[in-house]
């Protein structure tokens, strides 16, 4: 089954 | 802050759309309007909302202010407003409370409520400007039905966009299912059209639990837009007359 990555992988902290 | 909204129903629908995803969040008030950005606890989904200042009349703000609100509390107070009531939000410069005033259109009932605010140290993410490979707009009710239907069979859905159309498919313990939409234009009722703009084919897998949750925003707009690119989060947007609610969802990775 596929893993669920978090949004931190794509969006940086501002 | 003093911001007057012609229809309390707009804020009620916005809060209804996001309250199951996030519990406490800041309403950031500045010259462009009232904005909110918050992630769910698992950091898989993010909601970004803007009620533009033009949507309020008047919209008066002396200095930027962040209103830390518990959405369950706000929901309780908003239940005390009729959808057609005029809603005025008021807060001081360094507020402990947010004041909400509801007036009926006949101007013979005024209800005044206050909710306590809280300090919320909220993480803000920078969302890069993205040229998406596929943008699909469709009736929001149709997207909601597809998500609910497929969620009965599976936890996740594969979304594939190609020249032929957009295919939502899933498989689970009891079997499998798919819905394919083709582009079509409804001249009489444009909100029932399905439009597919594609620069390259896209295939991504997402958790249906979150998508079903996003669909609670369907009351805000009869049209929803899905924007996808391979290996980036899905954008689900509900546009309002003067603002939007956008949801971002991280894709599932690796098979």
């Amino acid at each position: 089954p596929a893993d669920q990555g978090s949004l931190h992988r794509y969006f940086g902290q501002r | 802050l003093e911001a007057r909204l012609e229809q309390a129903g707009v804020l009620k629908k916005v809060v209804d759309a996001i309250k199951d995803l996030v519990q406490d969040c800041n309403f950031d008030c500045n010259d462009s309007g009232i904005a909110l950005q918050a992630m769910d606890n698992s950091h898989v989904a993010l909601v970004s909302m803007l009620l533009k200042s033009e949507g309020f009349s008047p919209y008066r703000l002396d200095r930027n202010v962040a209103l830390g609100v518990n959405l369950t509390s706000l929901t309780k107070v908003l239940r005390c407003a009729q959808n057609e009531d005029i809603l005025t939000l008021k807060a001081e410069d360094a507020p402990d409370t947010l004041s909400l005033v509801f007036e009926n259109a006949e101007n013979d009932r005024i209800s005044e409520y206050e909710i306590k605010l809280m300090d919320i140290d909220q993480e803000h993410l920078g969302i890069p400007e993205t040229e998406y490979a596929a943008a699909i707009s469709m009736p929001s009710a149709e997207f909601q039905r597809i998500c609910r239907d497929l969620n009965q069979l599976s936890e996740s859905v594969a979304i594939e966009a190609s020249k032929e159309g957009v295919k939502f498919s899933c498989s689970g313990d009891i079997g499998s299912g798919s819905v394919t939409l083709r582009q079509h234009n409804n001249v009489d009722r444009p909100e029932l059209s399905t439009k597919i703009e594609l620069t390259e084919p896209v295939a991504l897998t997402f958790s249906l639990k979150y998508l079903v949750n996003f669909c609670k925003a369907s009351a805000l707009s009869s049209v929803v837009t899905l924007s996808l690119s391979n290996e980036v989060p899905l954008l689900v947007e509900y546009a309002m007359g003067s603002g939007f609610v956008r949801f971002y969802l991280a894709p599932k990775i690796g098979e």
Side-chain angles (χ1 to χ4, degrees):
Chain A
D3 278 337
Q4 178 67 70
S6 92
L7 285 172
H8 289 287
R9 178 188 289 261
Y10 312 94
F11 299 156
Q13 234 159 77
R14 202 162 59 192
Chain B
L1 168 78
E2 186 174 341
R4 185 173 172 277
L5 197 60
E6 280 300 323
Q7 298 258 314
V10 174
L11 188 63
K12 289 176 79 150
K13 286 176 197 164
V14 167
V15 174
D16 273 344
I18 62 179
K19 70 176 166 43
D20 295 324
L21 205 63
V22 291
Q23 286 75 48
D24 300 324
C25 55
N26 281 323
F27 285 80
D28 297 309
C29 307
N30 58 39
D31 287 340
S32 46
I34 301 178
L36 173 158
Q37 193 208 77
M39 269 191 290
D40 79 308
N41 286 330
S42 63
H43 292 187
V44 169
L46 179 144
V47 57
S48 169
M49 181 279 301
L50 176 65
L51 293 168
K52 290 183 191 161
S53 52
E54 303 94 275
F56 297 91
S57 166
Y59 184 82
R60 196 178 57 71
L61 185 70
D62 296 334
R63 71 177 56 105
N64 293 356
V65 61
L67 306 171
V69 173
N70 173 278
L71 291 182
T72 306
S73 310
L74 182 58
T75 300
K76 287 179 183 171
V77 169
L78 286 174
R79 278 205 196 111
C80 307
Q82 305 288 310
N83 283 339
E84 299 74 27
D85 282 355
I86 297 161
L87 161 67
T88 307
L89 302 169
K90 287 184 207 169
E92 304 290 324
D93 268 0
D96 295 323
T97 59
L98 169 67
S99 153
L100 298 101
V101 181
F102 313 134
E103 297 166 79
N104 63 349
E106 293 75 26
N107 230 325
D108 53 14
R109 171 178 46 79
I110 299 178
S111 314
E112 297 180 88
Y113 292 86
E114 276 191 348
I115 56 170
K116 292 175 187 164
L117 297 175
M118 52 215 279
D119 280 323
I120 301 172
D121 186 17
Q122 203 160 35
E123 184 180 17
H124 263 258
L125 294 186
I127 300 166
E129 282 286 320
T130 306
E131 291 281 338
Y132 288 95
I136 299 138
S137 62
M138 69 170 92
S140 55
E142 180 144 59
F143 180 57
Q144 182 168 42
R145 196 162 47 240
I146 291 169
C147 292
R148 281 183 181 167
D149 289 351
L150 298 186
N151 198 28
Q152 297 187 102
L153 278 77
S154 177
E155 282 178 356
S156 58
V157 59
I159 306 180
E160 294 165 83
S162 68
K163 274 184 295 187
E164 284 74 46
V166 54
K167 184 177 183 185
F168 302 85
S169 56
C170 73
S171 72
D173 293 341
I174 64 161
S176 62
S178 75
V179 179
T180 304
L181 301 179
R182 294 188 202 294
Q183 175 151 289
H184 74 264
N185 191 22
N186 190 318
V187 180
D188 298 327
R189 297 186 63 191
E191 73 277 13
L192 298 180
S193 299
T194 297
K195 286 182 215 151
I196 302 170
E197 287 168 37
L198 193 79
T199 52
E200 61 173 328
V202 182
L204 288 161
T205 303
F206 298 100
S207 165
L208 278 163
K209 172 178 76 173
Y210 295 98
L211 295 178
V212 167
N213 211 323
F214 298 169
C215 288
K216 290 174 183 161
S218 299
L220 282 169
S221 171
S222 56
V223 175
V224 63
T225 304
L226 313 180
S227 300
L228 305 107
S229 283
N230 286 316
E231 291 167 39
V232 305
L234 164 73
L235 164 60
V236 180
E237 174 164 3
Y238 296 86
M240 300 177 276
S242 50
F244 57 78
V245 173
R246 292 177 185 156
F247 299 99
Y248 294 87
L249 180 60
K252 295 207 164 199
I253 37 182
E255 286 289 322

